[in-house]
């Protein structure tokens, strides 16, 4: 003991030396106490030994030593623990204390240590008694050693001790001499009392039962907390000698502060476990997993552990291949099976632990028992599982041989060296089970199946086909039953195909990984053939989403698009809108409405056309007017849906999953919209997109779409047909049987179906569709029955040979067609109706068709009845849907329920359609379409309109004989095409117009001229949008040749010109444009210098008109004039690239037409264009500004979609009238409006202007750099290469100011553009705009980096007076830098001072002129140029004042970059005059401004300069 204490002290010393602070801190955490007379003290010495609590403790130990000696190992540990618990929970508590070596004060002893010492004390007393007993007769030594003269018959005295009862769990079955009367301990004084000389010992009794009082409950909680494991691990309760009783209070075990671990397991014989568990669960009326009782669930756990035990022992045997297993056959029996449990009350096995042990006696091998073959071993296990799973173990115990009762039931008490009497039952003594004997046990069917198949293994050569052949199969069945419960095997006499995902483990793993990767993945694309289960796999994500509290929305495209355009996409958005309208608070709805009005503007009316439910969250959308521009409608719709998407998901905290099924059939507009949604979601990834498509039905356009979205973070999943394993799982789930049993049947079905799940479902339904037979599959159905339900066996049975002999179709569609032939005529015709109408049939459609089809069905049968029967047979799904009665879908509208039928799968619809001949299809389509048509005109229902016209068009013009009916159908197509165009589905519109043309006869131009010209015009316009130039040329040629007058040709002329412009065939467009204006008798277009007088005259006319007079001009009515204005406006965009000098002439001619004929939809653009021409000419800036403002007012009144183009002109005019910052905001609004109207080019152009104006106003360069990168990417995508060069040069300028001049020489910049040299080379020498932009950038760069040699040679000075270059903010700011550079060069170069002074004065004059119009933009620039001029002239006092004024003006007008320039020039001014302190302050202020601007390279240049001149205070 001394050595132990010394070792422990050394360890403490090392710890203390290594980390003394931590050691002292840990020591202080121990609670110090003062001992009371009732406490038990650990330590050495007489005082401690004579302590009253210690004396009482020894009396308790003596009283219980005999019972301890007679107990099992686990019982000993429990007794020690209970003694400690009794003491600790007495009133007042009797604590175990010891002195701290660090502080010398008393502290609590850990519970583990107290129990260990108690076990040691009990063991020592018991051993001492045994020695005495060996020297006395009658075996009374223990009693003598523990005997006391004090009475024992005392009641509970409040100390927590009770009298020993006859049913004491620890004393049961013991001789009475082991329970002598002993003294008991009186209540201890309070904790603050002192020692009392009159403190007397009183009688104690052996420890009693604890489970029936609160103390017992507390103790059991402590036992469950894992105390016993640590006690066993440290020697408590064991038989090893760890000390003697005399030294009990001086022991100091290492690790006394260890935490309490897990409880040890207790061994219980399986027979005892069954009996105890049945009793424990008898009061439980609940059910567990899948309807199982609590007992069966626990018993299955034991059965699984038993099977695993045997499998493990067999697999680890050295000679398992020769059936020399580690566990002999004769040992696999009920009596040799032991269960190890932690909870000794509930007997519940613990998951993950080895809880079952089979006792294997050494004598078994010597007796030649052998291991037996696999069937014998399975049979032996079956005999164990029968009583285990049934809970009927009593009969086994009563009928067993008496000699077997001598065998021990636990491992601890079994004598492994015992003789014959302890040997297990011989084979002839063991009970024999037969499967038929299980009937009286009333077991659940799956349990009965397991047990009977096990017992069949004992039938020898008569063993059945379903008997087990391996323990692995048994383990699979047991685990499946425990995991999924009895409900998984609940039998039904009707085939109910499984909806569970089978055989897709790898795909599910990919799906889960994608779903959980929130930052790296925004969805999956699932590809596969029809019927392989793509939708079912996708639905798995729905479950995951709902588990997280998210939302799920789904929609499905159909092969025959019989619904309104974009209606399929609208399903998802309607669901989102309805959700918010229903659950959102009024304040949230108001916030959403405001956000939508801001984002969508007046274009919300267009979205409302497609999505009527939008009014529920944006009420204003139903009252807005909208100007329709067909060319931009598709882009507009994508933008509007994307904005709606972004706003709604921003208000949703949980995740959203969206499923787009069968996207291979989606129209082009829907595919484009999905792409836009993916783009909007790519950053935040708040929505998980799932798309499914058939990879064997992909056309070129869909393949191109797949390629276009390949850049998004979408994972790919390819679904193949099921493997034999997957087919077996599916069949097992469908027939509610174990997979082991269905394996032969599944193998045959896999060969016949190829593993296609849909084909598999159809075959199972077909061959198992008969009623249940009372016997086997062939008992009453004759030889034709292959699969039937056996009532006697209560399960499905089959005839493999007959199924193998079945002649089935090669594919699922052909098979379904064969099955349809077996239906009644009514059902067959009902399927034909549904196949023709489409995947959905609603109540209104059914009602309309019912009147037409009354004679087609049996008397008394309606179409609804037939569809309902088809749903019962599994061909259709029947849904009851609720929707708002009012179209506006207000919250107060009543809900209306409607019935809807749709095919279970598209392949079934395909089969039903192929069931008809081509002639029958055409007749039915025409019949149904004509039945629907009257309701279209009566109800003005778009859905019925498209459904009716699709039916008629499917029949084709050959199905119509009557000429008048053909014209009606042609006009029906015309109206439907217009509606499709208004909904931005131009591909559908173009198709409908083509169908309409097909119904026109050869004499249509003579008999139906108006319909013909309108159809050809509309078809040509739609062809432009879908980029079908061949069709445009064809239709316009027909119109030009058949039109009766010029007015009727106007639309087609305009359409052809737009087609050429749309495809960027500018030279052809120029030639055609000149041809048009010559045919129209228009004057020739002349350059600006030749029409200056005409422009001046028009300015005079406009000055003579008041604003209100202009705004109230009459509306233009002449078709020719309207067409001419439209042609001029459209072609002016081309003139920008071909011959900009003619733009003023076009704007002048349009203005003349406005004054002569009145206003039209293009008037806002015409006014803006003319204002720009005035500004370019420099004729009258004030009038230009006035006309530009009138243009904006006209735009607000008329709702023109040209607002983005108008702003480009505003940019060139209003910089002389508005602050630059205001122009920046207008550019942002222009971008937004262009996006709303779908004008992609104008949106990108406006975004470029946003960048330029932000640069001019000094906004952070880093932000502009990122925005510029996005613009460059968009320009590449849209092939806007003309503007790309200018944006690339601008981007290079930003990079130089941030990173330094060396960037300009790099091969590429930010990996998005080439270096400047390569950009200029690709632009070509004739690109004047690129040349001017490059020279302007070079000049600004030369000034900011103080490279004045480069500035002196800049070619920009040659372009200053070029009248063909319009002034705009970016250019006029370059004039400012040119003036600053000129004045600096004038000071530095005496030989050319006059030259540079003259240029500087020119720039100053410009600034002074512009300052008169808008001082906000030019005051600081003008003042700084004046300061530099004064400095050149030597007027230093005036210069100093002007520097200060320019700094203040730049600061006040928010031009931080120009404020920095003023500070720097002021610094150089003071430095050259010797005012070093003032110069230093100016330079520091300049550096701060440059850094705030983001021009870090410029700031570094100035910092280096300041350091180089070695400033000192």
């Amino acid at each position: 003991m001394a050595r132990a204490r010394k070792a422990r002290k050394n360890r403490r010393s090392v710890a203390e030396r290594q980390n003394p602070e931590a050691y002292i801190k840990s020591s202080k955490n121990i609670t110090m106490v003062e001992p009371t007379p009732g406490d038990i003290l650990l330590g050495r010495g007489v005082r401690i030994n004579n302590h009253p609590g210690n004396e009482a403790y020894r009396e308790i130990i003596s009283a219980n030593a005999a019972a301890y000696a007679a107990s099992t190992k686990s019982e000993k540990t429990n007794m020690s623990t209970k003694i400690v618990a009794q003491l600790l929970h007495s009133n007042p508590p009797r604590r175990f204390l010891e002195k701290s070596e660090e502080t010398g004060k008393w502290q609590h002893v850990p519970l583990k240590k107290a129990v260990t010492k108690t076990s040691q004390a009990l063991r020592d007393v018991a051993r001492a008694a045994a020695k005495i007993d060996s020297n006395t007769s009658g075996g009374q030594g223990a009693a003598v050693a523990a005997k006391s003269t004090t009475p024992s018959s005392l009641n509970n005295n409040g100390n927590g001790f009770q009298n020993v009862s006859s049913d004491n769990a620890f004393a049961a079955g013991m001789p009475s001499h082991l329970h002598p009367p002993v003294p008991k301990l009186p209540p201890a004084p309070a904790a603050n009392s002192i020692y009392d000389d009159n403190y007397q010992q009183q009688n104690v009794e052996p420890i009693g039962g604890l489970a029936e009082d609160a103390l017992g409950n507390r103790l059991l909680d402590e036992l469950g907390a894992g105390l016993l494991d640590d006690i066993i691990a440290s020697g408590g309760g064991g038989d090893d000698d760890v000390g003697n009783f005399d030294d009990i209070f001086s022991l100091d075990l290492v690790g006394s502060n260890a935490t309490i671990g897990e409880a040890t397991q207790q061994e219980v014989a399986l027979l005892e476990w069954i009996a105890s568990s049945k009793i424990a669960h008898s009061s439980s009326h609940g059910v567990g997993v899948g309807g199982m009782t609590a007992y069966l669930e626990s018993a299955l756990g034991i059965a699984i552990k038993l099977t695993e035990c045997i499998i493990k022992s067999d697999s680890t045997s050295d000679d398992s291949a020769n059936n020399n297993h580690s566990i002999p056959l004769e040992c696999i029996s009920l009596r040799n099976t032991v269960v190890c449990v932690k909870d000794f009350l509930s007997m519940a096995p613990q998951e993950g632990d080895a809880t079952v042990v089979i006792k294997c006696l050494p004598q078994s091998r010597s007796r030649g028992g052998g291991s037996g073959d696999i069937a014998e071993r399975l049979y032996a296990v079956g005999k164990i599982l029968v009583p285990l799973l049934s809970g009927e173990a009593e009969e086994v115990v009563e009928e067993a041989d008496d000699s077997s009762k001598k065998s021990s039931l636990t491992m601890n008490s079994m004598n492994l060296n015992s003789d014959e009497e302890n040997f297990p039952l011989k084979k002839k003594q063991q009970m024999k089970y037969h499967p038929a004997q299980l009937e009286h046990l009333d077991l659940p069917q799956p349990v009965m199946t397991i047990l009977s198949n096990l017992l069949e293994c004992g039938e020898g050569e008569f063993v059945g086909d379903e008997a087990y052949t391996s323990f692995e199969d048994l383990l699979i069945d047991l685990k499946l039953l425990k995991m999924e419960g009895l409900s998984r095997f609940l039998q039904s006499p009707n085939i109910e195909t499984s909806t569970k995902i089978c055989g897709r483990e790898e795909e599910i793993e990919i799906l889960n990984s994608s779903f959980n990767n929130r930052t790296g993945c925004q969805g999956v694309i699932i590809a596969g053939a029809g019927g392989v289960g793509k939708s079912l796999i996708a639905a798995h994500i729905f479950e995951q989403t709902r588990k997280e509290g998210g939302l799920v929305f789904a929609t499905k495209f159909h092969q025959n698009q019989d619904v309104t355009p974009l209606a399929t996409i609208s399903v998802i958005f309607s669901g989102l809108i309805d959700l918010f309208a229903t659950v959102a608070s009024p304040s949230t709805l108001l916030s959403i409405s405001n956000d939508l009005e801001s984002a969508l503007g007046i274009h919300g009316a267009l979205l409302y056309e497609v999505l009527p439910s939008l009014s529920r969250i944006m009420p204003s959308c139903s009252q807005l007017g909208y100007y329709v521009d067909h060319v931009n409608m598709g882009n507009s719709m994508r933008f509007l849906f994307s904005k709606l998407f972004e706003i709604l998901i921003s208000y949703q905290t949980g995740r959203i999953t969206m499923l787009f099924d069968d996207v291979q059939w989606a129209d082009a507009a829907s595919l484009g919209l999905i792409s836009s949604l993916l783009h909007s979601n790519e950053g935040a990834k708040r929505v998980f997109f799932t798309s499914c498509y058939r990879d064997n039905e992909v056309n070129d356009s869909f393949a191109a779409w797949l390629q276009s979205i390949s850049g998004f973070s979408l994972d790919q999943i390819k679904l193949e047909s099921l493997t034999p394993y997957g087919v077996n799982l599916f069949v097992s789930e469908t027939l509610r049987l174990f997979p082991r049993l269905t394996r032969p049947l599944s193998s045959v079905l896999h060969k016949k179906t190829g593993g296609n799940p849909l084909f598999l479902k159809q075959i199972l339904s077909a061959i198992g569709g008969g009623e249940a037979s009372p016997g086997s599959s062939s008992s009453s159905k004759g030889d034709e029955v292959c699969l039937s339900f056996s009532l006697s066996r209560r399960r499905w049975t089959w005839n493999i040979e007959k199924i193998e002999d079945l002649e089935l179709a090669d594919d699922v569609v052909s098979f379904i067609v064969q099955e349809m032939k077996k239906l009644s005529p009514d059902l067959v015709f009902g399927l034909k109706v549904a196949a023709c109408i489409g995947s959905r049939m609603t109540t209104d459609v059914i009602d309309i068709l019912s009147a037409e089809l009354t004679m087609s069905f049996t008397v008394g049968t309606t179409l609804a009845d037939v569809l309902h029967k088809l749903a019962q047979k599994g061909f259709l799904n029947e849904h009851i849907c609720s929707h708002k009665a009012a179209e506006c879908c207000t919250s107060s509208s009543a809900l209306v329920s409607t019935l809807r039928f749709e095919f279970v799968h598209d392949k079934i619809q395909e089969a039903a359609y192929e069931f008809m001949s081509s002639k029958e299809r055409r007749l039915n389509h025409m019949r149904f379409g004509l039945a629907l048509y009257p309701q279209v005109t009566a109800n003005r229902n778009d859905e019925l309109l498209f459904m009716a016209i699709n039916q008629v068009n499917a029949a084709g013009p050959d199905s119509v004989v009557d000429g008048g009916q053909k014209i009606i159908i042609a006009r029906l197509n015309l109206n439907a095409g217009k509606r499709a165009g208004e909904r931005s589905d131009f591909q559908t519109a173009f198709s409908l117009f083509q169908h309409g043309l097909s119904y026109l006869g050869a004499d249509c131009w003579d008999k139906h001229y108006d319909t013909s010209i309108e159809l050809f015009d509309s078809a040509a316009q739609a062809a432009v949008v879908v980029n079908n130039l061949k069709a445009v040329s064809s239709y316009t040629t027909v119109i030009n040749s058949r039109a009766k007058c010029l007015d009727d040709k106007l639309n087609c002329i305009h359409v052809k010109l737009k087609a050429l412009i749309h495809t960027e065939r500018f030279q052809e467009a120029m030639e055609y444009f000149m041809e048009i204006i010559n045919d129209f008798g228009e004057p020739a277009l002349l350059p600006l210098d030749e029409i200056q007088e005409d422009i001046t005259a028009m300015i005079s006319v406009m000055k003579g008109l008041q604003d209100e007079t202009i705004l109230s001009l009459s509306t233009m009515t002449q078709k020719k004039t309207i067409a001419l204005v439209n042609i001029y406006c459209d072609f002016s965009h081309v003139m920008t690239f071909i011959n900009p000098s003619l733009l003023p002439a076009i704007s002048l001619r349009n203005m003349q037409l406005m004054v002569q004929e009145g206003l039209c939809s293009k008037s806002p653009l015409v006014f803006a264009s003319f204002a720009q021409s005035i500004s370019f000419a420099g004729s009258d800036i004030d009038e230009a500004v006035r006309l530009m403002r009138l243009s904006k007012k006209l735009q607000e009144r008329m709702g023109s979609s040209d607002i983005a183009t108008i702003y480009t002109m505003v940019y060139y005019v209003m910089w002389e009238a508005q602050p630059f910052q205001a122009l920046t905001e207008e550019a942002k609004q222009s971008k937004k409006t262009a996006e709303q109207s779908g004008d992609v080019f104008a949106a990108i152009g406006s975004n470029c202007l946003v960048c330029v104006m932000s640069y001019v106003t000094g906004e952070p360069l880093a932000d502009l750099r990122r925005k510029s990168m996005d613009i460059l990417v968009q320009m590449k995508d849209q092939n806007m290469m003309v503007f790309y060069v200018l944006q690339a040069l601008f981007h290079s300028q930003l990079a130089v100011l941030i990173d330094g001049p060396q960037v300009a020489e790099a091969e590429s910049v930010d990996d998005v553009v080439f270096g400047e040299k390569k950009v200029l080379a690709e632009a070509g020498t004739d690109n004047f705009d690129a040349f001017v932009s490059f020279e302007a950038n070079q000049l600004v760069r030369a000034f900011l980096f103080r490279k004045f040699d480069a500035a002196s040679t800049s070619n920009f000075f040659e372009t200053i007076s070029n009248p063909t270059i319009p002034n705009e903010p970016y250019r006029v700011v370059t004039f400012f830098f040119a003036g600053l550079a000129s004045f600096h060069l004038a000071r530095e170069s005496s030989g050319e001072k006059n030259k540079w002074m003259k240029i500087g004065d020119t720039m100053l004059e410009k600034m002074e002129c512009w300052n008169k119009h808008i001082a906000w933009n030019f005051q600081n620039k003008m003042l700084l140029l004046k300061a530099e001029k004064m400095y050149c002239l030597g007027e230093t006092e005036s210069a100093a004042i002007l520097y200060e004024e320019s700094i203040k003006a730049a600061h006040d007008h928010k031009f931080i970059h120009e404020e920095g320039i003023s500070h720097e020039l002021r610094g150089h001014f003071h430095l050259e005059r010797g005012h070093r302190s003032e110069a230093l302050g100016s330079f520091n202020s300049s550096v701060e401004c440059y850094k705030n601007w983001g021009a870090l390279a410029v700031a570094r240049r100035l910092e280096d300069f300041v350091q180089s001149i070695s400033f000192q205070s």
Side-chain angles (χ1 to χ4, degrees), residues 1379-1401:
L1380 294 176
S1382 298
F1383 285 129
H1384 178 86
L1385 291 171
R1387 288 198 306 273
E1388 298 295 328
S1389 57
S1390 57
E1392 295 184 324
K1393 181 174 182 180
N1394 291 336
K1395 167 191 170 182
W1396 294 117
M1397 285 295 295
K1398 184 177 179 181
I1399 295 176
D1401 285 339

Side-chain angles (χ1 to χ4, degrees), residues 1009 1013 1017 1036 1039-1054 1072 1075-1082 1118-1124 1127:
Y1009 179 83
I1013 195 73
D1017 264 346
T1036 54
I1039 294 173
N1040 284 327
S1041 63
R1042 304 303 297 265
K1044 295 179 180 180
C1045 60
L1046 178 62
D1047 285 355
D1048 291 342
K1049 296 180 181 181
L1050 292 176
N1051 283 337
C1052 100
I1053 292 171
H1054 188 200
Y1072 186 59
E1075 180 184 335
I1076 292 172
I1077 61 174
N1078 287 335
D1079 291 344
F1080 279 34
E1082 285 293 290
Q1118 293 292 326
K1119 288 184 178 181
K1120 177 182 176 181
T1121 308
I1122 295 173
L1124 193 57
I1127 289 172

Side-chain angles (χ1 to χ4, degrees), residues 1080-1092:
F1080 279 34
E1082 285 293 290
L1085 299 176
L1086 303 173
L1088 177 62
D1089 56 346
E1090 298 184 35
I1091 60 171
Q1092 189 65 56

Side-chain angles (χ1 to χ4, degrees), residues 539-611:
H540 170 75
I541 290 300
F542 284 11
E543 299 178 13
Q544 302 295 101
T545 305
R546 292 188 179 103
K547 287 179 181 178
E548 294 186 2
L551 304 173
V552 295
F553 301 94
T555 192
K556 180 180 175 64
F557 295 94
H558 301 284
Q559 191 168 12
N560 53 336
Q561 292 294 321
D562 54 357
V563 294
T564 53
L566 292 179
T568 304
I569 293 285
S570 299
V571 169
I572 283 183
F573 282 91
S574 294
L576 265 173
I577 290 171
D578 291 342
L579 174 72
F580 278 97
T582 303
V583 304
S585 64
S587 60
T588 300
L589 286 175
L590 179 61
S591 178
I592 292 174
S593 178
N594 292 336
D595 290 347
L596 288 173
E597 289 177 0
S598 174
L600 307 183
I602 62 172
H603 305 273
L606 172 62
L607 189 58
Y608 171 71
E609 286 290 320
V610 180
L611 197 61

Side-chain angles (χ1 to χ4, degrees), residues 874-920:
F875 290 99
L876 302 176
N877 285 327
E878 183 176 359
H879 305 283
I880 298 178
C881 307
S882 298
H883 60 86
K884 294 289 182 181
E887 182 181 357
C888 63
C889 298
T890 59
S891 58
S892 60
S893 301
L895 285 175
V896 176
S897 295
T898 59
L899 195 63
R900 191 185 81 218
F901 292 93
E902 61 182 5
F903 281 96
V904 171
H905 197 278
D906 296 309
K907 287 292 183 182
I908 300 178
Q909 180 184 0
E910 184 180 341
Y913 199 70
E914 290 190 5
F915 196 59
M916 297 177 282
S917 65
S918 59
K919 181 179 180 180
E920 186 181 6

Side-chain angles (χ1 to χ4, degrees), residues 1215-1370:
W1215 60 270
E1216 296 184 75
Q1218 288 181 232
F1220 285 157
Q1221 289 86 349
L1223 287 178
T1224 306
E1225 293 305 311
E1226 285 201 34
K1228 293 177 181 178
Q1229 182 61 39
S1230 172
K1231 171 181 175 291
K1232 178 179 175 181
T1233 304
E1235 290 174 333
Q1236 291 173 342
S1237 62
D1239 194 340
V1240 177
F1241 293 94
I1244 296 175
S1246 296
N1247 206 12
C1248 290
L1249 295 181
V1250 171
C1251 274
V1252 170
M1253 290 308 303
S1254 298
Y1255 169 80
V1256 168
T1257 56
E1259 293 189 19
L1261 295 178
D1263 294 343
L1264 299 183
R1265 188 176 188 175
R1266 287 189 293 270
K1267 187 177 294 184
S1268 176
M1269 291 172 64
D1270 293 338
I1271 292 173
L1272 288 167
V1273 172
Q1274 292 172 355
M1275 285 182 168
K1276 278 186 177 180
D1277 292 341
Q1278 299 297 328
N1279 198 29
M1280 298 174 63
M1281 303 314 295
V1282 175
F1283 300 102
Y1284 182 85
V1285 173
L1286 298 178
Q1287 187 65 29
L1289 292 173
F1290 174 76
H1291 187 81
S1292 180
Q1293 179 78 345
L1294 298 176
V1296 167
L1297 296 179
I1298 296 172
D1299 297 333
Q1302 73 280 356
V1303 176
E1305 306 298 325
E1307 290 294 323
S1308 65
V1309 180
D1310 293 334
D1311 296 326
V1312 293
V1313 294
F1314 296 118
E1316 282 185 337
K1317 292 181 180 179
K1318 192 167 184 178
V1319 170
L1320 286 173
E1322 291 192 352
T1325 56
D1326 58 342
N1327 192 326
F1328 185 69
D1329 290 336
F1331 166 76
V1332 172
S1333 177
F1334 174 76
E1335 291 299 329
N1337 291 342
Q1338 293 296 317
L1339 178 61
V1340 172
R1341 232 178 268 174
F1343 177 82
L1344 289 175
F1345 289 99
R1346 310 291 287 180
K1347 304 292 183 181
F1348 290 105
D1349 290 341
S1352 65
T1353 59
S1354 174
N1355 293 321
F1356 178 79
F1357 294 105
E1358 300 175 4
T1359 68
I1360 290 175
S1361 58
N1362 190 332
T1364 63
I1365 305 176
N1367 291 331
E1368 40 81 23
Y1370 194 78

